[in-house]
């Protein structure tokens, strides 16, 4: 079967087509994702996706949608007529979303969110903005109005911001991609909440998780595959510390990719598993590349690129690349790069990976002994302002100033400046939680701190309305619990109020 990918255009939308037998597969991809949102309006892209799919109804046709960090996908598999009906229907819905379904779809999103396992690494790496927003609940969904949702769809789900892909016997007739006109969106800005790398943080989960950002090459794909192989040998086969070891290579479509590695572990074996994990990383970083393992990984990658349906399987990723302005590369070009990649190239990726690494270690553990710096859980300074000291032993002091708020304990402070407030969570009983762009939080219980209504009103007025998130009443009223505050624990412990450990 031909592996040729044809670049064409349908209704003004750039399109990729490859010949394939069997049911037709197709997808419409938009350069719109979670990283385009703000924390105060998070979830709007996902809500648009759900609304756009509602009119498809319940059918035997296999279709779905997916909202990612930088892209939204609508995909379908079926007959030519079913594919045309689906794609035309999605476009029609995007220009006229079924707002009578708005509140119902909001409830569905909240149900979906309740089952989602949060990934904290993006938050610690990027902060409470851009790519870091995938770590957060979709707080903005509750208060989105029909006008807000339709305006978002009109700005991002446009003809100029879309790409089409199709795998079938021919380009289907009858496609009518009636979308609004609009420009191509640039890729989301890459932010950072890490002053130094490699870095680590401690979390309550039992496993070890590590990601790094490297150039998106065949060498980095080989590195990811080899790392998975070596982790399995060291932690499962030889050590018996882990049951599951895995890696993933996720292209960011801006010339870089994130390589994620994971190993689960029982509490009694956390020290041994963490040590073994770090040892595997060190082996690759030192250039001790197992030639047998390297060739095994190379063979798997080459086999994937040479498979009969390889071109069809690559189309969704290629459509993302098209929207990101990346050149279209055929499988043979990638296979040639793969064959030319040496152990030295993989060694270079391992060094690059170490320079950007972020590791999540089990609660109570550290990684400074391995050369990792503790990710920040405090701020450089506190604001100058009025001081509120609650009753209670070791309780942090609250400072409220003209430019922000701080919680302080000894020499440590957690500060959120109003101009850098990503979201202000607000409860009907008066409690407020301010989340900074760096992901740190300051939680204020007015009754606990004796903060008067006028002072709380100045905080509300200082934060931009678009960052305010109104939440429903709390099931239990707070009594004397300690607010999220400054850590008195060892470096890397997360009692400092990092929002990742203090979800609503």
């Amino acid at each position: 079967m031909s592996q040729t990918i044809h670049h064409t255009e349908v209704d003004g939308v750039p399109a990729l087509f490859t010949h394939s037998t069997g049911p037709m597969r197709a997808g419409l991809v938009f350069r719109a994702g979670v990283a385009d949102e703000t924390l105060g309006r998070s979830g709007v892209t996902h809500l648009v996706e759900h609304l756009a799919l509602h009119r498809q109804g319940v059918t035997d046709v296999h279709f779905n949608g997916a909202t990612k960090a930088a892209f939204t996908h609508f995909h379908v598999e079926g007959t030519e007529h079913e594919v045309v009906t689906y794609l035309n229907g999605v476009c029609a819905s995007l220009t006229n979303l079924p707002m009578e379904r708005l509140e119902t779809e909001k409830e569905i999103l909240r149900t979906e969110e309740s089952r989602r396992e949060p990934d904290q690494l993006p938050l610690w790496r990027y902060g409470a903005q851009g790519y870091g927003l995938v770590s957060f609940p979709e707080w903005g969904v509750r208060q989105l109005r029909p006008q807000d949702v339709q305006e978002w769809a009109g700005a991002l789900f446009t003809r100029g911001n879309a790409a089409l892909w199709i795998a079938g016997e021919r380009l289907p007739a009858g496609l009518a991609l009636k979308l609004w006109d609009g420009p191509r969106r640039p890729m989301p800005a890459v932010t950072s909440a890490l002053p130094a790398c490699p870095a680590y943080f401690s979390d309550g989960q039992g496993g070890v998780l590590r990601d790094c950002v490297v150039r998106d090459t065949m060498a980095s794909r080989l590195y990811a595959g080899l790392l998975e192989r070596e982790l399995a040998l060291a932690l499962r086969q030889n050590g018996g510390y882990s049951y599951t070891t895995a890696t993933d290579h996720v292209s960011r479509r801006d010339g870089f990719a994130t390589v994620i590695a994971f190993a689960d572990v029982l509490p009694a074996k956390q020290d041994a598993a963490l040590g073994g994990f770090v040892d595997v990383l060190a082996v690759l970083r030192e250039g001790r590349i197992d030639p047998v393992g390297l060739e095994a990984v190379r063979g798997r990658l080459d086999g994937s690129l040479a498979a009969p349906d390889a071109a069809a399987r690559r189309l969704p990723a290629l459509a993302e690349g098209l929207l990101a302005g990346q050149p279209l590369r055929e499988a043979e070009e990638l296979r040639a790069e793969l064959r030319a990649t040496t152990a030295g190239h993989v060694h270079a990726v391992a060094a690059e990976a170490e320079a950007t690494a972020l590791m999540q270690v089990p609660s109570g553990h550290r990684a400074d002994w391995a050369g990792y710096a503790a990710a920040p859980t405090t701020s450089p300074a506190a604001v100058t302002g009025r001081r509120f000291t609650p009753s209670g032993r070791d309780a942090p002091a609250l400072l409220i100033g003209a430019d922000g708020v701080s919680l302080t304990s000894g020499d440590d402070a957690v500060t959120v400046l109003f101009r850098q407030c990503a979201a202000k969570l607000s409860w009907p009983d008066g409690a407020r939680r301010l989340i900074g762009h760096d992901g740190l939080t300051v939680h204020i219980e007015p009754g606990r701190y004796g903060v008067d209504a006028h002072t709380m009103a100045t905080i509300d007025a200082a934060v931009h309305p678009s960052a305010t998130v109104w939440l429903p009443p709390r099931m239990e009223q707070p009594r004397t619990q300690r607010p999220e505050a400054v850590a008195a624990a060892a470096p890397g412990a997360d009692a400092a109020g990092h929002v990742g450990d203090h979800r609503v």
Side-chain angles (χ1 to χ4, degrees), residues 42 188 311 332 345 354 446:
S42 56
E332 282 306 314
H345 294 128
E354 187 69 11

Side-chain angles (χ1 to χ4, degrees), residues 220-394:
S220 64
R221 294 178 185 275
L222 279 170
Y223 169 76
L226 192 60
L227 177 57
E228 181 174 277
R229 178 185 173 92
E230 295 300 322
L231 286 172
L233 286 171
L235 301 184
R236 176 169 177 164
Q237 184 170 324
N238 296 336
Y241 309 133
S242 299
Y243 174 73
T244 299
T245 56
T247 64
D248 197 10
H249 182 283
V250 182
S251 176
R252 214 168 56 189
R253 309 298 175 204
D254 60 356
F256 291 87
T258 302
V259 176
I260 306 162
F262 168 75
D264 63 1
V265 59
L266 291 172
K269 297 184 177 181
Q270 287 177 352
D271 287 331
L274 177 58
F277 196 106
V278 170
D279 288 344
V280 169
L281 297 174
V283 166
L284 297 179
R285 188 175 67 251
E286 292 165 5
R288 289 183 279 159
I289 309 296
D290 174 23
V292 175
L294 180 60
E295 291 311 310
V297 175
R298 192 196 310 272
R300 287 199 300 272
L301 288 174
D302 187 65
S304 177
L305 289 168
D309 65 341
R313 287 189 290 103
R314 293 178 61 221
L315 286 179
L318 290 174
E320 289 185 357
L322 194 65
L323 290 169
Q326 294 184 318
L328 182 64
R329 301 183 69 190
E330 294 284 357
E332 282 306 314
E333 181 183 355
L334 295 175
R335 294 180 71 193
E337 180 185 333
L338 180 62
R339 289 191 293 270
T341 301
T342 66
H345 294 128
V346 177
H347 177 206
V349 174
E352 183 183 10
E354 187 69 11
T356 64
L358 173 64
M359 184 181 294
Q360 175 181 313
V361 301
S363 181
H365 290 72
R366 305 164 62 126
D368 49 355
W369 55 268
Y372 284 64
T377 56
T378 58
S379 304
V383 299
T384 299
R386 187 177 173 188
R387 183 182 180 91
F388 296 85
T389 305
S391 59
R393 184 176 180 180
D394 298 328

Side-chain angles (χ1 to χ4, degrees), residues 49 51-52 55 80 90 155 157 168-169 178 199 212 220 255 287-288 292 322 325 357 383 420 435 447 450 481:
E49 176 224 310
L51 289 168
R55 293 192 180 108
E80 182 174 322
V90 166
F157 290 83
E169 295 185 356
K178 303 305 182 185
C212 59
S220 64
R288 289 183 279 159
V292 175
L322 194 65
V383 299
Q420 296 175 1
I435 305 169
Q481 78 272 23

